[in-house]
Amino acid sequence: MALTSSQQMSRWGLAILVFIGILWVMGSVLTPYLVAMALAYFLDPVADRLENLGLSRLFSVVIITLTVLILAVIFTLLIVPTLIEQLVNLVDDIPQLVQSGQSFLETRFPTLDLGSSEILTRFQSALQSAGSTIANILLSSTKTAFGFIAMLVIVPVVTFFMLLDWDNLVAKIDSWLPRDHRNTIRTIMKDIDTTLAGFIRGQGTVCLIMAIYYSIILWLVGLKYGIILGMIAGVLTFIPYVGAMIGGGLVVGFALFQFWGIWPHLALVLAVYFGGQSVEGNFITPNLVGKSVGLHPVWIMFSLSAFGSFLGLTGMLIGVPVAASIGVVGRYFLGQYQKGRLYLGQEFYQDEQDANEQSE
């Protein structure tokens, strides 16, 4: 006997609550596995293309895994030490930077009385507190044996096996779908996959490209902390509008303090950043992400902030996928509502039913 609509809703609601409860209790433990799942989802199209070229699934996954590991080792050996050094120097130099900023403003705006103001003092304290928090997070995550093992062992191993069995996992989940709603769920899941593929894979590639571009060019220009600022600006590209504002504020702010009066260098830094923003917004993002992924920038920002505050890093990892799923499901039910009697009214609804019967 088929379940009624209320029974189905209660069971689906219970399943969602159980899922949220598991994330709440085991969030830190699940984080490496969520990262591995995201990597497998990101790399699955590459494995499919290698299979289309005639390679076996196993050989395709081995090639992808070795390539990613080699790139990760190169990044760790060449880039990570420089990033850590620049981050430590940046935290240590915060008092000097604040003092330089105060002298800069007092010299060019003599009417400002910053010496007796508590604004800069509070700003300095806030920066030092933020820097200490970031440093403590990094140290605590790398000092624990489990965190070290999770990053170096669990993520690559789980990614390998998930990528190897991805198609089988999808087929197995498809076999569990309720028979009465299989076609509807398949349609919704296909739309969710299209949305996620367009945004996560595309936007992730955009962030990687922009992080590499900013880091290398700002370092070559001679901007102090150019690599760490470039990485931050590139990663923040993932957050629409706000990321560009924060990244631009950091890059331009540091460039003003370092190159004030050295106009060619300052103009070069500004050209690098705003030129990169122009190319990213007009060429890279439209080609890699597209304009029809169905995720509004405000919805993305809300999901990241909401899930991040609720579940921390785990929440930020699942924020966009959940937001995409909610958006697709919401559009589906909105379409069903616009076809129903409540929206059309009795007269229009009956006319549409009669038209459908005549067409059949």
Side-chain angles (χ1 to χ4, degrees):
M1 180 178 178
L3 297 176
T4 63
S5 298
S6 60
Q7 290 174 328
Q8 293 182 37
M9 290 296 293
S10 63
R11 281 163 173 76
W12 282 110
L14 179 61
I16 293 173
L17 290 176
V18 170
F19 176 73
I20 294 175
I22 292 174
L23 290 177
W24 175 266
V25 175
M26 303 183 63
S28 59
V29 177
L30 292 176
T31 298
Y33 298 91
L34 292 175
V35 172
M37 184 181 297
L39 289 174
Y41 178 78
F42 188 88
L43 296 172
D44 179 62
V46 180
D48 292 338
R49 290 187 180 183
L50 291 177
E51 280 190 286
N52 293 334
L53 295 177
L55 301 179
S56 66
R57 182 73 179 189
L58 177 60
F59 193 50
S60 301
V61 173
V62 169
I63 291 176
I64 294 172
T65 303
L66 290 177
T67 303
V68 172
L69 287 177
I70 291 172
L71 294 176
V73 170
I74 294 174
F75 178 81
T76 301
L77 294 178
L78 299 181
I79 305 299
V80 170
T82 304
L83 286 175
I84 295 176
E85 180 183 359
Q86 290 199 358
L87 179 61
V88 172
N89 292 336
L90 178 59
V91 174
D92 292 338
D93 290 346
I94 285 176
Q96 181 181 352
L97 291 172
V98 174
Q99 184 64 37
S100 299
Q102 180 177 347
S103 301
F104 173 86
L105 293 174
E106 289 178 343
T107 302
R108 283 149 183 87
F109 305 99
T111 58
L112 294 177
D113 184 17
L114 297 177
S116 60
S117 175
E118 296 183 359
I119 297 177
L120 289 177
T121 303
R122 293 181 179 180
F123 180 65
Q124 175 179 338
S125 300
L127 286 178
Q128 287 179 315
S129 176
S132 300
T133 301
I134 294 173
N136 289 333
I137 291 174
L138 291 175
L139 290 175
S140 62
S141 62
T142 54
K143 283 183 177 179
T144 58
F146 179 77
F148 183 77
I149 295 175
M151 292 302 112
L152 293 185
V153 178
I154 294 180
V155 171
V157 171
V158 175
T159 302
F160 176 85
F161 286 106
M162 290 199 70
L163 187 58
L164 182 63
D165 295 329
W166 189 264
D167 294 336
N168 295 329
L169 290 172
V170 173
K172 178 62 68 173
I173 294 174
D174 182 78
S175 68
W176 295 339
L177 297 179
R179 294 295 188 257
D180 292 341
H181 306 287
R182 173 179 289 185
N183 293 332
T184 300
I185 296 177
R186 283 175 176 172
T187 301
I188 293 175
M189 295 304 296
K190 184 177 180 180
D191 291 340
I192 292 174
D193 179 66
T194 301
T195 302
L196 288 179
F199 185 81
I200 294 182
R201 291 173 182 156
Q203 195 63 51
T205 306
V206 171
C207 291
L208 180 62
I209 293 174
M210 298 311 297
I212 294 174
Y213 164 76
Y214 286 135
S215 299
I216 294 177
I217 302 301
L218 292 176
W219 174 67
L220 292 176
V221 169
L223 181 64
K224 196 175 183 180
Y225 316 116
I227 294 179
I228 188 69
L229 292 175
M231 294 293 291
I232 293 173
V235 172
L236 289 178
T237 306
F238 189 84
I239 306 175
Y241 306 130
V242 176
M245 293 174 59
I246 297 175
L250 290 173
V251 172
V252 174
F254 276 87
L256 286 173
F257 285 127
Q258 182 176 345
F259 297 128
W260 182 265
I262 311 177
W263 304 118
H265 285 76
L266 180 59
L268 189 56
V269 172
L270 296 178
V272 165
Y273 184 78
F274 291 106
Q277 285 292 307
S278 177
V279 172
E280 179 264 325
N282 292 290
F283 299 99
I284 299 178
T285 297
N287 286 301
L288 292 180
V289 180
K291 299 180 179 180
S292 59
V293 296
L295 285 176
H296 195 277
V298 176
W299 182 233
I300 296 171
M301 289 186 286
F302 173 78
S303 64
L304 288 174
S305 59
F307 285 96
S309 61
F310 182 60
L311 296 171
L313 178 59
T314 303
M316 296 189 70
L317 289 174
I318 69 171
V320 172
V322 173
S325 303
I326 293 175
V328 171
V329 173
R331 287 194 295 272
Y332 170 78
F333 281 110
L334 178 61
Q336 295 298 110
Y337 158 72
Q338 290 177 329
K339 296 177 183 178
R341 183 179 303 176
L342 179 61
Y343 175 78
L344 296 173
Q346 179 62 36
E347 181 179 353
F348 291 100
Y349 179 77
Q350 190 61 45
D351 292 341
E352 186 172 303
Q353 292 292 101
D354 295 340
N356 291 335
E357 291 178 0
Q358 291 177 2
S359 63
E360 293 176 357

